[in-house]
């Protein structure tokens, strides 16, 4: 299996399954693709950050990708994002 597999892709968000290089640990990442037309809209990006990471401790103050250890948690967060920005 590829170490960087796209599980879900929409116009505004991507959910990927990633694997650490030197170990077999798997994590899931929600990201804003650079091809997204709204990536330059600061209000949109801040709104996404407020939903995914209100305390800004997952990806920092200016992050555009967020890591999760559990797939279910990542899928719930992606669902919340898709419902808000569908």
């Amino acid at each position: 299996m590829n170490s960087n597999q796209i599980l879900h892709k929409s116009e505004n968000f991507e959910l990927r399954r990633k694997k650490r290089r030197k170990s077999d640990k798997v994590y899931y990442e929600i990201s804003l693709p650079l091809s997204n037309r709204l990536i330059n809209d600061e209000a949109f990006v801040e709104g996404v950050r407020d939903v995914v990471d209100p305390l800004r401790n997952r990806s920092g103050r200016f992050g555009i990708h967020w890591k999760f250890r559990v797939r279910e948690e990542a899928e719930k967060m992606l669902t919340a994002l898709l419902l808000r920005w569908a």
Side-chain angles (χ1 to χ4, degrees), residues 47-64:
V48 172
R49 286 185 195 125
D50 288 341
V51 170
V52 177
D53 188 17
L55 300 177
R56 307 295 193 263
N57 57 5
R58 281 193 191 267
S59 186
R61 186 172 172 201
F62 301 107
I64 60 169

Side-chain angles (χ1 to χ4, degrees), residues 33-68:
L34 295 177
S35 62
N36 184 352
R37 60 181 169 73
L38 295 174
I39 194 85
N40 295 324
D41 182 8
E42 189 60 34
F44 168 74
V45 177
E46 280 298 315
V48 172
R49 286 185 195 125
D50 288 341
V51 170
V52 177
D53 188 17
L55 300 177
R56 307 295 193 263
N57 57 5
R58 281 193 191 267
S59 186
R61 186 172 172 201
F62 301 107
I64 60 169
H65 62 272
W66 300 271
K67 296 178 183 177
F68 299 89

Side-chain angles (χ1 to χ4, degrees), residues 30 72-85:
I30 295 175
E72 288 79 20
E73 183 182 2
E75 287 175 341
K76 284 179 186 177
M77 196 58 62
L78 180 66
T79 302
L81 291 171
L82 291 173
L83 287 173
R84 184 159 180 193
W85 284 285

